[in-house]
Amino acid sequence: MTVTVAGLVLASPVMVASGCAGTGRELAGYAPLSTYGAVVTRSITRDPRPGAQVPGIAETPAGLVHATGLPNPGLDGFLATELPWLLTEGARVVVSVVARELGEYAEVARRLATAPGVSAIEVNLAQPDAVAVGVLDVREPFHVGAAVSAVLRELPRGVPVLAKLRPDTVRVAEAVKVAADAGAAAVVLGGALPAALPDGRDAGLSGPAVRPLALRCVADARRALDAAGATCDVVASGGIVTPQDARAFLDLGAVAVQVGSALLHDPTTAARLATALSTPEVTP
């Protein structure tokens, strides 16, 4: 079941979401990385980030609350080790990037523009705690457009930008239109909601608990983009565990789905969904 996402022809509508597969090595033992439509890397910053001093992950009745601080080896480390390995394993690589300000976004994009094997860039504007990202306020659609533009200007033609946006049902229509106007070929909707760990630290809530809100975001986004005549795809995420979950998002107009927190519970989830979605649904 091939699909076209942001102009890219992918082998499956199932993508691995950023941050939930580590470097990708954790998933490689369960299925070839070529099984997935794409593997979105953990969010890469210009400089290395050690992550939170006390990373926190706590289970809730219907999901996970997490605060990791976006640990990653920085752009140099990623280009030297993680990207070559992913390509060797046959992954279609979408690089997630995050920065403190527009100049950093541009610098990271400029260097990725010449890196072999990068199919697309996902601009991470979905952090539940905007302060954790830096001076950009990702809650503001204007900043969304500015970040997308800063990245897109540095990329060669044919390397699309995906804008990963906060699941904000109040401003989602405005945000997706701004992202599309700035040149994003797709928006990714339905990620973590602002939450807190039991000790009060800012965190994000992921998993089945956020799925109903993610469905609302996808439906509102698709309607807004269609009304504006925007040629921008919608990629869904948020609590996708079963084939029925995935099909619900696809029926609302998403062209692909990203699977994230479910992988922490069952690393085979995305591979099973890819197989299930490649088979036509049988109606009794």
Side-chain angles (χ1 to χ4, degrees):
M1 183 181 176
T2 61
V3 296
T4 301
V5 180
L8 303 173
V9 178
L10 305 183
S12 169
V14 178
M15 305 167 68
V16 175
S18 174
C20 293
T23 64
R25 297 177 187 271
E26 294 84 346
L27 285 183
Y30 297 95
L33 297 187
S34 58
T35 300
Y36 315 109
V39 174
V40 186
T41 69
R42 54 180 167 169
S43 290
I44 303 300
T45 50
R46 181 185 63 187
D47 304 313
R49 286 181 64 133
Q53 289 185 344
V54 185
I57 297 180
E59 284 195 87
T60 71
L64 293 172
V65 180
H66 47 86
T68 64
L70 299 177
N72 74 93
L75 188 56
D76 287 339
F78 171 75
L79 292 174
T81 59
E82 295 185 13
L83 178 59
W85 183 85
L86 287 167
L87 297 175
T88 299
E89 292 296 308
R92 190 72 178 269
V93 179
V94 175
V95 182
S96 174
V97 299
V98 69
R100 292 181 55 83
E101 44 88 15
L102 296 179
E104 280 187 30
Y105 269 120
E107 181 180 347
V108 171
R110 191 179 309 122
R111 295 187 58 194
L112 286 171
T114 59
V118 175
S119 293
I121 303 295
E122 182 178 279
V123 183
N124 184 355
L125 299 162
Q127 288 302 300
D129 174 18
V131 177
V133 177
V135 296
L136 283 174
D137 188 345
V138 297
R139 297 166 296 187
E140 292 297 328
F142 171 78
H143 286 191
V144 166
V148 170
S149 295
V151 170
L152 194 59
R153 281 195 297 267
E154 303 298 332
L155 300 178
R157 187 180 299 275
V159 179
V161 168
L162 288 68
K164 186 173 185 178
L165 307 179
R166 291 165 61 91
D168 181 350
T169 56
V170 176
R171 306 187 73 177
V172 65
E174 180 184 2
V176 297
K177 287 190 287 187
V178 169
D181 288 344
V187 291
V188 182
L189 292 167
L193 292 173
L197 287 163
D199 62 8
R201 281 182 292 153
D202 289 345
L205 170 65
S206 299
V210 310
R211 188 166 60 245
L213 185 141
L215 286 165
R216 170 69 178 271
C217 286
V218 167
D220 287 353
R222 188 65 271 166
R223 282 193 292 266
L225 291 169
D226 290 344
T231 57
C232 181
D233 291 329
V234 176
V235 177
S237 66
I240 298 170
V241 178
T242 68
Q244 291 75 24
D245 298 337
R247 290 190 175 102
F249 283 105
L250 297 176
D251 289 344
L252 289 175
V255 296
V257 298
Q258 291 189 0
V259 179
S261 58
L263 297 173
L264 303 179
H265 181 262
D266 179 359
T268 69
T269 301
R272 289 190 292 101
L273 291 181
T275 299
L277 294 181
S278 69
T279 304
E281 191 173 17
V282 176
T283 302

